[in-house]
Amino acid sequence: MGKKQGEQGAAWLSEKMSGQVDFEQRSLGSSDEIGLQYLSSLTNSDMINRYIVIPSYEMESLQAFENYIASFPGTVQAGERQQIIEFVLKGFVLISIGKSGYLFNAVKVESSGVGEAVNEAIVQGPRDAFSENIELNINLIRRRYQSETLKIDMLTVGKVSRTSVAILYDDERVDRQVLKEMKKRIENVKIDILQSAGELEKYISPERVRIFPTMIVTERPDRVVFNIAEGKVAVLINSNGFAILAPSIFSDFFTAMDDKIQVPMVGWFLKTIRYIGLLLTLTLPSLYVTFASYNPEILKIQISLLIAGSRAAVPYPSFMEVFLMLLMMEFLTEASLRLPKAIGPTATTVGGLILGQAATQAGLVSNIMIILVSAVAISNFIIPISMMGYTIRVIKYIMTLFAITFGLLGVVGSVVGLIMYLSGIRSFGRPYMKMYALEIKSKGGQ
Amino acid sequence: MVSSKYIYYLFLVNALMNIINFVPRVLIFTRFQGTLPSIFISTAIGALLLYGFTKGIAGFKGQGLPEIFNANLPRFFSFFLLIMYACFWFSAGIITMLSFVDITVRYISPDISPYAVIIGFLLLSAICCRLSSESILYGLETILFLSTPVIIYMLVKAFLNPNFSWDAVLQIVTYMWTKPKYVTVAGATFIFSGFFNLAIFNRNFKELKTRYLWTIPLFGLVILLITFVVPIGYQGTVGVENHVYSWFSTADSIRMELFIIERVLFLFYTIYLMISMLSTVVHWHVGLELFKGAFQSKSGKLPGKKADWWVLIPFSIATIVIMNFLNQVRLGQIGQWFLNIRLINEFVLLAILFYAKKRSAKKT
Amino acid sequence: MKKIICCLLAIAMPWTISGCQFKDIDKRSFVLAIGIDRPEDKDKKNQFEVTLKMAIPEGDPTKRSQEPVVITEIAESVPEAVRLAKSKTDKELDFSHCKAMIYGESLARDNIIPLVDWSSRRRDIQLIMFVAVGQPTAREVVKMQTKSERLPGNALILGLGKEGTESPYIKSAYSFDLSRRTTEHGLDPFMPVVRTKHPDMLIIDRVALFNKQKLVTILSPDETRMLNLLTSNHLRSSFKVDAEGNSFDYNLENSKAKYRIKADKEKKAIVEYHLSGKASLEENMKGTPVTGPVLRAISKAASEKWERDSVKLFKKIQASGVDPFGWGLRYYSRNWNNSTERQDWERLFPGLEFQVKADLKVKYTGMIR
């Protein structure tokens, strides 16, 4: 094997790659009997020089050079055409010596280094985040999960981008059904370009109207390791510093990595706080509409009069007020997100302080509304995984709509509807929301 | 497949839901003429039905009523029975819904048209009852988990209140040796009929583990006594009859001094709204599955998901039509009729089930 | 996509039906207290004079500018009067926060039943509303604006309830309790009496006893306190007692009242009360040192005083023929002969005898001996 294919491969490759700007072909040796073919953007030219070009002129015979090349770890004999092109696209150099071909590993590691987790910040505990390089990322996980049961399956997705995708799982603990399903779904992805984990998540999710994420996209290796140990499947993507975790259920989105580090009581407390925050951010706007427009009798008289008093100058109905302020808050969040770091704080000041203050003084919005909107925003930010945070942001509006239509009935009805909806979702066959899910999971993992 | 604890939730949701309208009404109506003995008798009857039904259906592992009937009874007969029971379950849901619409309009939103309220209810029930049985069980668990602590809080609050008159309660207890009435027994056994939802949900249980089944009559008795006694403690032995929704009046008589909501009524309303929505969803789900089961083909294939709407839309329209010609008094009568027929019907169902069991035993 | 459109349509549909029955909180005026009288005008003796005290939401809630609005209307019935009052305000009347209903004395002496019916029939009037009798008229009481109140009617509400002052002279009554007592056999209604004292004071220190329909008698402040002691646990109050040729004031810290009814087959029934309490000394008139024996003597004298006072109260109540304690209900609840018990009790009631055993312990001498 190898010899003939190497020669044919070289010709085929040069034909295939003829249009590429960064495709380089070199001939070495006294009578050009050595051919090099590689993509200059992916390869380390220094390595090529030092380990291939210079020795090729110093070697006494062609045979000696061939042996020399073959002796490198990471060098493979060229085989199928498909294999050759894949390797070259990864940054290997195809060396054809006479009739035989070798693939020499000269991958240029554009290592951006291991950075700190930005999106899922943490107080204590490991700070590493995934880098943009899959090898490094696998390296990060391997380092934390030193078990021979950790299996890695490599796939390639994207007709054009040819992104390598790694599926990581613990061979002993993994749910086979989920693994099979995941592989099937990834193989079925038919796209040209794949650049980020979020994209892949979208493509492998079942197609239907969906608002809740059923897979976590995370940048924290420790979360991935923790989840793999729970029997989940992790998917890493080259050139993107995020991993997909599946199956993920509702409570997973409310787990921060801090919870493990804290004293158990504190961990529980933090978890409870998050659910309270969830409840508040979902129901406060709709309850405000209910209390202000349908059922002022529910609250104590003091509070009712407080709301009524602060609303006295406001010229439009309560739901307009709620929508107006909620939208302003969304704009503010979005604006400060996209703005350059230098201007970001300005936006917050202008929006939060000046607008809020002025709006109440002008009598456009009630004081209580401002407090409420900030409470809604803050309790929304408590949710540790931002994907869920976004979802909750949307759901809140739907609930407010129901409150406008039905009052208290609408609020309670939408809470019931939401719980039923969540109970109906499955993430890779696992119920999305279920009480005591964690307990069952740990049993099932063994 | 789910664990056996979900059976108890099915019981609990029904037992809690009954408090809103008909059961306390009939219990209180006959309070001087045999409610207490009826409660004890109906606990016994309920336990009997419960035990019989679980024993009966446990023989058919993972099968719902449609599968059992279609396999073991003559085709025409099973079709007829399934349609009848489907209508029965649907009407259980409809009655809960109509009661709650009435309550909502009366207590919470007199400004909103009852049609808007009923449409809201119907939307929710119709959409949610199409979920898989398993999902409904999960939802049931979550909502019960959220609401039972509040219910317990309210009950504790009710009993510790110095305005709760134990003398009135004891006065009613002295009417113990009166003759029980059928209406009261029929009303009180309704507490236990949550179990009959197993007719469909049995599909989801690998096997019915009934180790703690004995707790259910016990719980049922306690819930019945609470249902009966608390309104009397607050509204008096005579005055209690004046209140249309005695439990809502009772909730309104309790005050939370140290909370942002002062009237327990609204807490009570919120929690019971959740529970009755849930109970409607469960009833409609069972009704829907029974209906579809009636049209099961010979090969055991059920009609597809799209067919659901052909059942749900007519029933929704029927609900609106029924609401149109009902007033408070008629609704009460219909509710009572429903309870009366229900008890007989449950015995019939039990008998058929055992007949089917015998047939299937003969086959194998 | 189709699904989303369907969902949106489904949400929009009830919206069109429900329309805009949207009434914002600032468009409502909350009635906080109602007073109902018989009009003074002789020709309108059978009509009702309804006084509503309302809070109108105003600009800054933190400032003390909540001037109440008081509307008085006379009409044939209460709902009619409310309807008339509606046309006098620019905002929708909202009764859902009404926390106090005052029955004018003239009305209370006539008939309270229609009003009890009205207030428990209306869906928006709370059953945990406080009820009281107003002297001289309900209008005066409702109109009274005390200095300390920030919220209109709050002084009345706090006074009648227990969150604010905890006076032993106030026996608060809720609406549901009133309505229950008007129907219950063997249990009669009572209400605290609110008097006005000009210029800006409300005094609540008496209790009015009703038969099922109307006011029968009003108890004096001391009797009211005794009633309170006999009907509730944990009463806090100070009493005065003479012992050892000295006069002492003690502060009751804890109290408990129990009773049972001993009835024999004949015509006699005995109500046996057992009172117990713990107290500490508050004032010693002559300043002589208080020793153990003195404390015991005080306890004994105080217990005896309680016994005397309570029996006196019982006799008075018995003579007026009402039963605010619910002795009748207690008798019924302990007897199983349901068909005859009511006649029995009616026969027994006029001849009831009372035995009170008080067991008050003055345990502490305070900070000094």
Side-chain angles (χ1 to χ4, degrees):
Chain A
M1 188 196 102
K3 294 225 163 179
K4 208 166 168 206
Q5 273 157 337
E7 194 185 37
Q8 279 177 355
W12 179 74
L13 190 68
S14 57
E15 184 193 320
K16 218 40 181 166
M17 291 283 188
S18 56
Q20 304 289 354
V21 182
D22 55 352
F23 184 67
E24 287 191 31
Q25 302 198 52
R26 293 275 181 280
S27 299
L28 305 177
S30 40
S31 50
D32 293 350
E33 62 277 319
I34 303 168
L36 301 183
Q37 286 167 312
Y38 57 93
L39 285 165
S40 61
S41 60
L42 286 179
T43 44
N44 192 337
S45 57
D46 200 37
M47 272 175 83
I48 298 177
N49 273 340
R50 200 181 317 157
Y51 300 119
I52 305 173
V53 180
I54 300 172
S56 76
Y57 291 102
E58 288 170 352
M59 288 293 166
E60 280 140 27
S61 69
L62 211 58
Q63 189 56 45
F65 180 70
E66 194 176 332
N67 289 344
Y68 165 76
I69 291 292
S71 73
F72 273 98
T75 301
V76 217
Q77 273 210 332
E80 299 283 322
R81 287 172 176 181
Q82 201 54 41
Q83 181 209 8
I84 294 172
I85 201 159
E86 266 175 29
F87 273 77
V88 169
L89 283 171
K90 270 184 195 156
F92 281 65
V93 181
L94 178 66
I95 307 172
S96 14
I97 307 167
K99 284 195 189 304
S100 55
Y102 291 93
L103 288 163
F104 177 83
N105 184 355
V107 179
K108 178 158 69 176
V109 180
E110 201 68 75
S111 141
S112 40
V114 179
E116 253 188 48
V118 192
N119 294 319
E120 296 165 60
I122 196 170
V123 182
Q124 288 172 327
R127 285 178 196 281
D128 286 356
F130 282 127
S131 70
E132 306 264 283
N133 181 295
I134 195 167
E135 310 281 331
L136 189 57
N137 290 348
I138 291 174
N139 182 335
L140 282 174
I141 291 174
R142 278 264 187 225
R143 226 164 47 199
R144 288 176 166 78
Y145 203 92
Q146 297 189 350
S147 159
E148 71 285 355
T149 51
L150 179 68
K151 287 274 164 68
I152 301 170
D153 292 349
M154 298 295 281
L155 295 167
T156 316
V157 176
K159 238 187 288 168
V160 182
S161 65
R162 299 218 151 268
T163 316
S164 7
V165 170
I167 302 179
L168 287 83
Y169 55 92
D170 188 308
D171 207 25
E172 278 174 8
R173 305 182 177 201
V174 74
D175 186 341
R176 297 277 157 200
Q177 208 76 36
V178 174
L179 184 64
K180 222 174 94 191
E181 178 77 21
M182 177 62 101
K183 274 188 185 161
K184 204 180 88 198
R185 284 194 198 175
I186 291 181
E187 275 160 11
N188 284 344
V189 174
K190 294 271 181 286
I191 47 167
D192 288 345
I193 306 282
L194 178 74
Q195 285 189 336
S196 69
E199 238 176 301
L200 185 66
E201 194 259 299
K202 204 169 79 196
Y203 287 119
I204 58 180
S205 297
E207 270 181 58
R208 49 176 243 187
V209 186
R210 122 197 133 82
I211 187 161
F212 280 93
T214 48
M215 281 169 259
I216 290 184
V217 175
T218 180
E219 58 166 354
R220 303 191 59 90
D222 52 341
R223 191 188 281 275
V224 172
V225 165
F226 175 71
N227 279 289
I228 287 176
E230 269 182 357
K232 291 185 185 173
V233 176
V235 178
L236 284 173
I237 287 156
N238 200 5
S239 77
N240 184 240
F242 289 91
I244 301 174
L245 294 169
S248 294
I249 61 167
F250 191 68
S251 61
D252 290 338
F253 290 90
F254 290 85
T255 315
M257 293 318 288
D258 280 29
D259 298 354
K260 303 281 160 222
I261 295 157
Q262 300 290 359
V263 183
M265 284 285 277
V266 179
W268 270 106
F269 170 72
L270 290 175
K271 238 182 152 121
T272 321
I273 276 197
R274 274 181 221 126
Y275 284 106
I276 294 173
L278 169 74
L279 197 71
L280 282 186
T281 191
L282 276 178
T283 54
L284 271 184
S286 43
L287 283 180
Y288 179 78
V289 175
T290 310
F291 292 150
S293 300
Y294 280 103
N295 304 97
E297 66 264 30
I298 294 177
L299 292 174
K300 263 194 172 165
I301 175 67
Q302 287 89 339
I303 304 171
S304 289
L305 282 181
L306 212 65
I307 296 175
S310 76
R311 259 193 61 79
V314 181
Y316 31 71
S318 60
F319 72 92
M320 283 288 290
E321 195 188 358
V322 169
F323 273 127
L324 203 74
M325 281 322 284
L326 283 181
L327 274 180
M328 285 313 289
M329 196 246 321
E330 302 294 355
F331 293 158
L332 205 65
T333 331
E334 281 302 299
S336 49
L337 199 70
R338 308 278 170 228
L339 277 175
K341 284 236 162 56
I343 326 178
T346 327
T348 340
T349 318
V350 172
L353 291 176
I354 301 177
L355 204 129
Q357 189 66 29
T360 37
Q361 281 191 352
L364 284 176
V365 183
S366 66
N367 275 319
I368 294 193
M369 189 65 231
I370 299 280
I371 299 170
L372 193 132
V373 163
S374 348
V376 166
I378 292 167
S379 42
N380 201 137
F381 296 147
I382 286 184
I383 300 166
I385 303 235
S386 55
M387 279 173 89
M388 185 52 99
Y390 280 108
T391 303
I392 298 300
R393 257 161 85 177
V394 177
I395 301 272
K396 177 177 71 194
Y397 288 94
I398 300 175
M399 286 191 64
T400 315
L401 265 179
F402 275 110
I404 292 168
T405 327
F406 296 113
L408 183 64
L409 180 74
V411 182
V412 181
S414 49
V415 170
V416 173
L418 185 66
I419 291 177
M420 294 311 283
Y421 175 73
L422 284 172
S423 312
I425 301 179
R426 297 285 182 277
S427 170
F428 289 86
R430 184 163 280 165
Y432 192 57
M433 185 151 98
K434 190 177 164 190
M435 303 292 316
Y436 321 113
L438 277 174
E439 171 198 345
I440 290 160
K441 200 162 52 190
S442 61
K443 265 184 218 155
Q446 282 156 12
Chain B
M1 292 296 139
V2 294
S3 73
S4 282
K5 67 182 172 185
Y6 288 92
I7 313 172
Y8 302 96
Y9 299 143
L10 285 175
F11 159 75
L12 199 61
V13 71
N14 218 59
L16 290 175
M17 188 277 294
N18 81 83
I19 245 176
I20 60 168
N21 200 357
F22 301 111
V23 177
R25 180 172 301 168
V26 66
L27 292 185
I28 281 162
F29 187 70
T30 60
R31 66 199 176 285
F32 294 127
Q33 293 111 31
T35 292
L36 265 181
S38 304
I39 285 179
F40 289 105
I41 289 174
S42 56
T43 307
I45 294 178
L48 191 80
L49 279 171
L50 164 81
Y51 185 75
F53 190 73
T54 31
K55 270 275 126 50
I57 206 146
F60 302 94
K61 275 196 187 90
Q63 276 178 309
L65 215 52
E67 291 92 313
I68 299 171
F69 279 10
N70 285 340
N72 300 313
L73 296 178
R75 185 70 203 169
F76 170 76
F77 198 48
S78 83
F79 176 81
F80 171 74
L81 274 177
L82 286 173
I83 294 282
M84 187 186 84
Y85 279 109
C87 290
F88 206 70
W89 252 281
F90 267 110
S91 51
I94 289 173
I95 283 174
T96 313
M97 248 191 265
L98 291 179
S99 308
F100 229 85
V101 170
D102 197 41
I103 289 165
T104 303
V105 171
R106 219 149 294 289
Y107 282 95
I108 302 299
S109 334
D111 309 331
I112 302 181
S113 128
Y115 292 100
V117 179
I118 192 77
I119 285 175
F121 251 100
L122 286 172
L123 269 179
L124 188 94
S125 328
I127 292 171
C128 290
C129 75
R130 293 180 64 235
L131 289 172
S132 68
S133 306
E134 211 180 334
S135 309
I136 287 178
L137 288 177
Y138 296 146
L140 195 71
E141 185 176 29
T142 312
I143 290 179
L144 283 178
F145 178 83
L146 293 177
S147 51
T148 16
V150 186
I151 293 176
I152 289 170
Y153 167 77
M154 286 189 290
L155 279 180
V156 169
K157 190 98 188 140
F159 278 114
L160 293 183
N161 195 325
N163 282 312
F164 182 86
S165 164
W166 285 102
D167 279 349
V169 173
L170 287 174
Q171 159 70 345
I172 287 298
V173 171
T174 61
Y175 287 86
M176 177 71 205
W177 308 118
T178 39
K179 239 200 286 169
K181 281 196 166 177
Y182 176 74
V183 276
T184 321
V185 173
T189 43
F190 182 54
I191 292 238
F192 298 95
S193 55
F195 248 80
F196 283 85
N197 289 324
L198 275 180
I200 286 300
F201 287 103
N202 191 41
R203 289 172 178 170
N204 293 76
F205 294 102
K206 227 178 284 169
E207 58 180 319
L208 289 175
K209 267 188 233 145
T210 48
R211 212 171 352 142
Y212 298 105
L213 211 60
W214 55 271
T215 54
I216 288 195
L218 216 64
F219 256 107
L221 181 64
V222 170
I223 290 174
L224 272 174
L225 286 177
I226 287 174
T227 308
F228 176 51
V229 146
V230 175
I232 287 173
Y234 278 92
Q235 320 297 347
T237 53
V238 184
V240 69
E241 201 177 317
N242 297 339
H243 295 270
V244 179
Y245 295 105
S246 45
W247 262 90
F248 281 82
S249 297
T250 304
D252 199 16
S253 307
I254 310 170
R255 189 165 163 233
M256 293 183 285
E257 289 89 352
L258 308 170
F259 194 54
I260 47 169
I261 301 168
E262 198 174 14
R263 296 165 75 179
V264 172
L265 173 67
F266 296 109
L267 201 62
F268 185 80
Y269 173 84
T270 313
I271 294 300
Y272 271 91
L273 181 58
M274 275 172 40
I275 289 178
S276 58
M277 276 175 171
L278 205 64
S279 139
T280 317
V281 169
V282 169
H283 282 150
W284 274 42
H285 176 76
V286 174
L288 180 68
E289 291 297 322
L290 287 177
F291 217 105
K292 276 162 60 181
F295 292 96
Q296 197 177 27
S297 66
K298 279 268 152 57
S299 54
K301 235 185 101 194
L302 286 167
K305 274 254 158 204
K306 283 249 164 66
D308 291 359
W309 292 111
W310 291 109
V311 183
L312 292 173
I313 289 173
F315 272 105
S316 303
I317 293 169
T319 311
I320 296 174
V321 171
I322 292 170
M323 189 184 82
N324 219 357
F325 90 98
L326 281 186
N327 56 19
Q328 204 172 19
V329 180
R330 271 225 200 110
L331 176 62
Q333 286 165 350
I334 289 194
Q336 189 51 52
W337 271 109
F338 172 77
L339 290 180
N340 291 351
I341 299 170
R342 200 208 84 258
L343 183 56
I344 302 173
N345 217 353
E346 274 169 11
F347 275 109
V348 174
L349 178 58
L350 201 64
I352 299 170
L353 188 68
F354 273 96
Y355 176 69
K357 200 173 178 184
K358 230 171 154 190
R359 291 269 302 243
S360 85
K362 235 180 250 169
K363 267 190 206 164
T364 49
Chain C
M1 201 57 211
K2 235 193 215 163
K3 262 190 181 168
I4 298 176
I5 293 170
C6 278
C7 285
L8 284 180
L9 273 181
I11 296 171
M13 191 168 54
W15 209 350
T16 51
I17 297 174
S18 76
C20 293
Q21 279 113 349
F22 213 79
K23 190 142 277 164
D24 275 320
I25 195 166
D26 46 316
K27 307 284 183 301
R28 308 185 194 218
S29 56
F30 295 102
V31 177
L32 295 180
I34 313 178
I36 298 165
D37 287 301
R38 287 287 189 213
E40 279 164 29
D41 193 345
K42 285 268 177 330
D43 307 334
K44 298 179 176 171
K45 222 39 205 146
N46 289 322
Q47 301 198 347
F48 295 94
E49 182 183 310
V50 177
T51 311
L52 306 174
K53 189 177 205 173
M54 292 175 290
I56 306 282
E58 280 173 65
D60 195 346
T62 52
K63 291 216 178 70
R64 209 197 137 195
S65 63
Q66 300 267 351
E67 282 298 314
V69 175
V70 178
I71 296 180
T72 304
E73 273 304 335
I74 299 176
E76 302 254 316
S77 68
V78 182
E80 188 60 33
V82 169
R83 227 162 291 143
L84 286 173
K86 261 187 192 180
S87 53
K88 278 193 178 173
T89 56
D90 55 339
K91 292 172 176 165
E92 174 74 10
L93 282 186
D94 194 320
F95 281 89
S96 57
H97 276 301
C98 179
K99 298 242 34 136
M101 183 158 166
I102 312 294
Y103 294 79
E105 198 187 349
S106 53
L107 182 82
R109 288 196 186 274
D110 184 12
N111 188 2
I112 56 166
I113 297 293
L115 294 175
V116 174
D117 182 89
W118 175 74
S119 68
S120 34
R121 196 176 290 277
R122 270 194 73 125
R123 74 122 208 148
D124 49 352
I125 296 185
Q126 314 182 357
L127 285 174
I128 47 171
M129 170 178 74
F130 293 111
V131 288
V133 173
Q135 262 183 346
T137 62
R139 183 162 52 101
E140 291 290 312
V141 172
V142 169
K143 260 173 83 174
M144 180 61 72
Q145 178 83 357
T146 62
K147 277 236 172 73
S148 59
E149 73 180 11
R150 278 184 81 152
L151 216 68
N154 210 20
L156 194 60
I157 296 162
L158 284 180
L160 287 172
K162 283 213 169 66
E163 292 107 289
T165 170
E166 270 192 63
S167 161
Y169 296 105
I170 298 173
K171 176 92 190 127
S172 47
Y174 289 110
S175 165
F176 77 88
D177 192 34
L178 180 67
S179 100
R180 144 173 95 186
R181 281 163 184 265
T182 53
T183 54
E184 188 75 309
H185 301 304
L187 185 66
D188 288 335
F190 65 83
M191 278 191 249
V193 178
V194 187
R195 285 183 297 151
T196 55
K197 188 174 172 218
H198 284 285
D200 57 358
M201 217 183 277
L202 288 172
I203 303 172
I204 314 172
D205 61 354
R206 288 154 195 251
V207 83
L209 302 182
F210 290 71
N211 64 14
K212 295 290 176 211
Q213 232 183 25
K214 59 188 180 197
L215 201 156
V216 174
T217 181
I218 293 180
L219 300 181
S220 72
D222 279 338
E223 286 167 339
T224 304
R225 182 170 62 178
M226 209 62 221
L227 181 83
N228 232 339
L229 179 71
L230 289 163
T231 49
S232 52
N233 289 339
H234 310 298
L235 185 79
R236 283 156 180 270
S237 169
S238 65
F239 291 86
K240 200 174 167 66
V241 66
D242 294 324
E244 306 247 308
N246 192 350
S247 170
F248 296 95
D249 266 63
Y250 60 87
N251 185 31
L252 189 63
E253 284 167 348
N254 204 344
S255 75
K256 204 173 173 190
K258 288 192 297 198
Y259 73 93
R260 37 184 226 169
I261 298 172
K262 267 193 183 166
D264 45 27
K265 290 269 163 18
E266 287 91 65
K267 285 182 185 168
K268 246 174 73 178
I270 304 167
V271 183
E272 277 187 358
Y273 262 88
H274 185 86
L275 289 172
S276 59
K278 259 189 237 164
S280 64
L281 221 51
E282 211 166 63
E283 197 185 48
N284 180 351
M285 284 297 174
K286 288 186 179 160
T288 49
V290 183
T291 55
V294 179
L295 267 188
R296 278 193 287 279
I298 297 170
S299 304
K300 194 152 170 270
S303 302
E304 277 164 9
K305 188 160 185 293
W306 271 12
E307 285 166 11
R308 277 196 308 278
D309 286 352
S310 49
V311 170
K312 226 192 311 176
L313 176 67
F314 291 147
K315 290 280 181 208
K316 182 176 175 181
I317 289 172
Q318 186 187 19
S320 60
V322 294
D323 189 0
F325 292 100
W327 295 325
L329 185 62
R330 175 68 62 94
Y331 179 80
Y332 302 150
S333 69
R334 301 298 193 276
N335 280 283
W336 291 73
N337 51 334
N338 294 319
S339 48
T340 56
E341 62 190 11
R342 282 180 60 197
Q343 287 99 310
D344 287 351
W345 180 249
E346 266 161 40
R347 215 176 50 241
L348 287 171
F349 187 80
L352 272 185
E353 281 180 23
F354 303 97
Q355 281 181 3
V356 182
K357 194 170 158 3
D359 182 19
L360 175 73
K361 288 208 169 73
V362 182
K363 285 203 160 172
Y364 312 101
T365 60
M367 290 299 112
I368 53 171
R369 281 183 197 284

